[in-house]
Amino acid sequence: MPAENGRAGQSTVDLNSDLGEGFGIWVLGDDDALLDIVTSANVACGFHAGDPSIMRATCERAAERGVVIGAQVSYRDLAGFGRQRMDVPPDRLADEITYQIGALDAFARAAGTRVAYVKPHGALYNTVVTDEVQAAGVAEGVRRYGELPVLGLPGSALLSAAEARGLPTVTEAFADRAYTPEGHLVSRRESGAVLHDVETIAARCVDLATHGRITAIDGSEVTVGARSICVHGDTPGAVEIARAVRAALEAADITPAPFA
C-alpha cells in the first residue's frame, strides 16, 4: 500500500505532537495547551515515558477535544527516555510493539475512541530509518495488532516494511528539527539539531506544505513530501512554536486536519 505523501500546494496538513510523556509525579510539557493546537497526539505507551494514569488522562483529554490518538512506541528505555539505541531481536521488538499499542488502545477505547495510527519514538524512530531488521520488527508488531497506519520519515526502511505488510503509511516532517542533505534528522548530539526561532520554524512549515521542501543544515534544499508535521512538546517554548506554526499554516490557507 503506497505511502500517503504530502504534495506541494496541499490544502490540509496534520499537526502531531508527542504527548503523555510524564511519569509518576514528573510532568513533561504542557499537554493541555498542545491538545488545543494539534490534530493528532502521539501518546507515550509506558516504555520510554507514560504510566497507566497518564495514558488514561491523556486519552480522555484528547478524546474531549477531538484529537486523534496514535501509539508512540519505543524501546524499553525509561532511564534514557527512549533515546538510547538498543539491539533488540526483531521478534521480541515486534512483541513489545504489539504490547504497547494494546495497552494504549485499552485506555483510548475506555475514553470512547481508539488508537488510529502508530509512530516510533526517539532512538527507535531514527534506527528504523535505515535498519531493515528492526524496521521489520516494528512493522510486524503493528501488523499483528491490526491494519493501523504507520507514521514515519519519507523513504525510511520502516515505511517500506509497513507497505510490504499491507499497512497504510503516512510521511511526516519535523517543524523544529534540522535535516541532513540526505533528508534524515540531524542527531540531537550535534549542535543545531533542534531549532528554536519561532518565526523561522513557522515559515519553514508553510514552505514545506506549499512547496514540499525543507532547507538542510548545510543550506541545501531537500524535497520532503509530508502529510503530517511534528511539533515537539518537550522543547523550550513548545506551545508558542505550535501556535505559531498553526497560525502560519492557516494564514496560508492550509487547514490543520488529522490524516487518520
Side-chain angles (χ1 to χ4, degrees), residues 16 18 42 119-120 125-126 152-154 172-179 185 188 195 201 204-205 208 214 224 226 228-232:
N16 77 77
D18 301 343
N42 318 314
K119 173 184 172 178
Y125 187 100
N126 290 325
L153 208 65
E172 74 168 338
F174 289 79
D176 60 354
R177 291 293 305 275
Y179 277 74
L185 299 181
R188 285 180 179 269
L195 308 182
I201 293 170
R204 81 199 296 247
C205 287
L208 174 69
I214 205 161
V224 179
S228 185
I229 296 174
C230 178
V231 287
H232 279 111

Side-chain angles (χ1 to χ4, degrees), residues 35 52-62 107:
L35 283 168
S53 294
I54 290 174
M55 291 162 68
R56 174 193 55 77
T58 306
C59 287
E60 289 176 351
R61 294 198 295 267
F107 290 113

Side-chain angles (χ1 to χ4, degrees), residues 16-34:
N16 77 77
S17 188
D18 301 343
L19 303 178
E21 291 188 311
F23 194 84
I25 64 172
W26 289 276
V27 177
L28 182 67
D30 189 344
D31 284 5
D32 282 334
L34 285 165

Side-chain angles (χ1 to χ4, degrees), residues 52-140:
S53 294
I54 290 174
M55 291 162 68
R56 174 193 55 77
T58 306
C59 287
E60 289 176 351
R61 294 198 295 267
E64 288 168 359
R65 291 165 172 80
V67 175
V68 171
I69 294 171
Q72 186 189 12
V73 296
S74 172
Y75 289 127
R76 189 190 294 269
D77 179 29
L78 278 174
F81 195 63
R83 289 181 176 160
Q84 301 178 100
R85 190 190 189 284
M86 296 184 171
D87 187 16
V88 183
D91 285 346
R92 193 178 87 197
L93 182 59
D95 290 339
E96 294 185 346
I97 297 304
T98 305
Y99 178 93
Q100 292 177 76
I101 299 169
L104 185 66
D105 198 35
F107 290 113
R109 290 179 182 274
T113 182
R114 62 184 177 85
V115 167
Y117 66 94
V118 178
K119 173 184 172 178
H121 163 81
L124 180 59
Y125 187 100
N126 290 325
T127 296
V128 297
V129 170
T130 57
D131 189 318
E132 295 181 357
V133 174
Q134 291 212 11
V138 173
E140 183 61 20

